[in-house]
């Protein structure tokens, strides 16, 4: 049964780049008919990864072709390694070999890696062609499919090369989530909790009320949950498309989280690192007198429910994390930028956190 919801992403000043996100369970037929209206019979390409290709991608390509569309398909190996410069070159060469032109579209069907890589390839191929996102993981559905940030990694830095290239449309079918292992859902759940913490505390209540016996409690609620998260994301992106101000609140948990990812050589899943980072940011907010301990405890309880860590793993030291905290490369004083809470649903950005407060928060978040 389809349960289609729509969210509009409005991008000032002209609105020329506005687009719609469709969310629901079993919405792929809608996606096919709308993609057909966008692209007609112009030669276009689906980009996916080998795992998604097997379970959803090949069937989706057949549906698109069955509607009369002229679709080629390229697949990259599953995993972060595919978000590389070399892989981007391979994808671009495929696009050229398929004779895609400036009227063609690229349809990215997959998780964050495929979405970021596909968005990047679409943004530079012939100076930019249309990109459509069909996200298949929770992380991609609530975060990376919207907002137009594209990226590939360099060997020395994640997301080091990229563009802003908004999709033309997004189709988030929550049926995809049923095929994900709990660990992958938990990874995305960190970002879900983030939206609750920074802007819409009703997301936290929805999780608290429906997951006491596990993630199955969400099986009928995914469209509602994904929609609430995407409303927050699209509002924030609409206010600050190019990440110069308000959009930075989407990095709640990402300061200490990023440091921990670096310390663990990016072995730790992103969501786990962000969970630790959110807990740390709550402790800092608490020690600055901005929130009381009940707020941090509420976030920690939810993280715990999804087995997301709040403390440093035993083999990571406080000193190593302090050393790897990301510094603002553009500012000459290279300060550390934190996203803190004044309350649940009320986040702000600051680079004025005394070092002793950071150390104290990290100490509290040590096992
Ligand atoms: N994932 C953070 C952003 O889109 O700005």
């Amino acid at each position: 049964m389809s349960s289609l919801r729509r969210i509009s992403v409005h991008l000032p000043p002209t609105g020329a780049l506005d687009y719609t996100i469709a969310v629901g369970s079993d919405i792929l037929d809608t996606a096919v008919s709308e993609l057909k209206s966008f692209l007609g019979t112009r030669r276009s390409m689906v980009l996916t990864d080998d795992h998604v290709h097997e379970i959803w991608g090949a069937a989706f390509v057949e549906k698109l072709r069955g509607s009369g569309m002229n679709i080629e398909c390229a697949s990259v190996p599953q995993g972060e390694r595919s978000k590389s410069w070399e892989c981007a070159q391979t994808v671009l060469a495929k696009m050229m070999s398929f004779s895609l032109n400036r009227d063609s579209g690229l349809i990215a069907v997959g998780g964050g890696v495929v979405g970021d890589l596909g968005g990047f390839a679409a943004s530079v191929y012939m100076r930019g062609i249309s990109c459509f996102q069909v996200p298949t993981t929770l992380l991609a559905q609530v975060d990376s499919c919207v907002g137009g940030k594209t990226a590939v990694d360099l060997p020395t830095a994640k997301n080091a090369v990229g563009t802003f290239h908004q999709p033309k449309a997004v189709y988030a079918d929550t049926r995809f989530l049923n095929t994900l292992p709990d660990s992958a859902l938990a990874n995305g759940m960190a970002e879900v909790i983030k939206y609750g913490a920074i802007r819409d505390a009703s997301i936290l209540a929805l999780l608290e009320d429906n997951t006491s016996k596990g993630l199955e409690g969400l099986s009928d609620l995914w469209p509602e949950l994904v929609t609430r998260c995407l409303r927050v994301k699209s509002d924030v992106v609409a206010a600050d498309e190019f990440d110069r101000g308000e959009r930075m609140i989407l990095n709640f948990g990402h300061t200490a989280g990023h440091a921990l990812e670096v310390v663990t050589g990016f072995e730790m899943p992103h969501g786990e690192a962000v969970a630790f980072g959110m807990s740390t940011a709550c402790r800092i907010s608490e020690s600055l007198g901005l929130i009381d301990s009940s707020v941090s405890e509420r976030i920690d309880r939810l993280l715990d429910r999804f087995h997301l860590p709040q403390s440093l793993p035993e083999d990571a030291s406080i000193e190593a994390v302090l050393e790897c905290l990301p510094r603002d490369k553009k500012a000459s004083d290279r300060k550390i930028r934190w996203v803190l809470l004044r309350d649940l649903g009320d986040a702000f950005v600051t680079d004025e956190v005394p070092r002793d407060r950071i150390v104290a928060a990290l100490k509290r978040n040590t096992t």
Side-chain angles (χ1 to χ4, degrees):
M1 192 187 58
S2 172
S3 55
L4 189 66
R5 295 136 193 263
R6 305 247 184 206
I7 303 158
S8 301
V9 185
H10 173 57
L11 294 165
T14 64
L17 295 176
D18 290 5
Y19 55 97
T20 301
I21 310 164
V23 184
S25 173
D26 200 2
I27 62 163
L28 289 188
D29 287 340
T30 305
V32 170
S33 87
E34 293 187 10
L35 286 165
K36 172 89 191 284
S37 323
F38 277 113
L39 292 166
T41 53
R42 300 199 287 279
R43 188 180 289 265
S44 293
M45 186 177 101
V46 164
L47 179 70
T48 186
D49 71 36
D50 44 19
H51 176 69
V52 174
H53 185 260
E54 209 169 286
I55 52 177
W56 296 103
F60 187 58
V61 167
E62 282 320 308
K63 267 181 187 279
L64 293 168
R65 287 181 179 150
S67 78
M69 291 179 73
N70 187 353
I71 297 290
E72 300 289 352
C73 182
S75 179
V76 296
Q78 185 185 25
E80 184 75 24
R81 274 173 200 273
S82 286
K83 225 174 98 174
S84 67
W85 193 246
E86 291 72 26
C87 198
Q89 266 183 303
T90 309
V91 171
L92 290 164
K94 275 263 181 209
M95 293 162 80
M96 191 60 79
S97 76
F98 291 146
S99 306
L100 300 197
N101 59 38
R102 294 190 73 177
D103 293 329
S104 300
L106 184 151
I107 305 164
V109 183
V113 167
V114 165
D116 284 8
L117 175 70
F120 180 67
S123 73
V124 294
Y125 185 76
M126 297 196 173
R127 300 197 174 81
I129 65 169
S130 300
C131 181
F132 300 84
Q133 295 281 348
V134 184
T136 58
T137 63
L138 182 58
L139 191 78
Q141 292 199 348
V142 297
D143 183 17
S144 53
C145 69
V146 167
K149 280 188 181 176
T150 82
V152 293
D153 302 335
L154 291 183
T156 47
K158 261 184 99 169
N159 294 332
V161 177
T163 54
F164 285 98
H165 187 64
Q166 298 292 338
K168 283 270 178 282
V170 178
Y171 300 95
D173 191 328
T174 56
R175 263 190 324 158
F176 291 135
L177 306 180
N178 299 330
T179 58
L180 297 178
D182 279 3
S183 58
L185 286 174
N187 199 31
M189 202 51 89
E191 301 284 347
V192 172
I193 294 169
K194 176 190 85 177
Y195 291 116
I198 63 170
R199 186 55 81 79
D200 179 0
S202 81
I203 292 171
L204 305 177
L206 189 145
L207 293 177
E208 287 161 346
D209 293 346
N210 295 285
T211 59
S212 56
K213 295 201 179 72
L215 286 161
E216 306 80 68
L218 291 174
S219 51
D220 293 332
L221 292 171
W222 286 120
E224 177 60 26
L225 188 63
V226 171
T227 301
R228 285 193 205 181
C229 294
L230 285 174
R231 277 204 196 107
V232 175
K233 173 116 195 202
S234 50
D235 283 354
V236 172
V237 168
D240 176 24
E241 182 183 355
F242 296 110
D243 204 11
R244 305 256 179 237
E246 172 155 5
R247 186 162 176 171
M248 290 177 202
I249 67 168
L250 297 176
N251 287 338
F252 179 59
H254 287 59
T255 306
H258 179 80
L260 185 54
E261 283 184 296
V262 175
V263 169
T264 60
F266 291 96
E267 291 296 321
M268 175 173 266
H270 180 68
E272 290 186 19
V274 168
F276 161 74
M278 289 193 287
S279 189
T280 304
C282 284
R283 299 295 173 205
I284 293 175
S285 308
E286 206 184 307
S287 89
L288 292 173
L290 296 161
I291 55 172
D292 65 45
S293 59
S294 64
V295 173
S296 313
E297 283 158 14
R298 189 167 170 200
I299 298 289
D300 280 356
R301 266 197 306 278
L302 264 179
L303 296 174
D304 208 37
R305 193 174 274 192
F306 302 111
H307 312 292
L308 288 163
Q310 300 114 62
S311 45
L312 272 182
E314 269 167 23
D315 53 352
S317 70
I318 292 180
E319 292 67 34
V321 170
L322 285 169
E323 190 63 30
C324 294
L325 286 169
R327 291 178 182 275
D328 185 351
K329 296 184 197 67
K330 284 158 258 158
S332 52
D333 49 13
R334 294 178 45 80
K335 287 188 166 174
I336 300 163
R337 192 179 287 141
W338 292 90
V339 182
L340 302 181
L341 299 183
R342 287 190 203 93
D343 197 353
L344 280 178
D346 184 5
F348 71 103
V349 181
T350 178
D351 56 13
E352 300 296 337
V353 178
R355 188 182 157 91
D356 63 329
R357 303 302 172 106
I358 303 171
V359 174
L362 288 172
K363 279 196 176 141
R364 259 188 89 170
N365 284 32
T366 310
T367 36

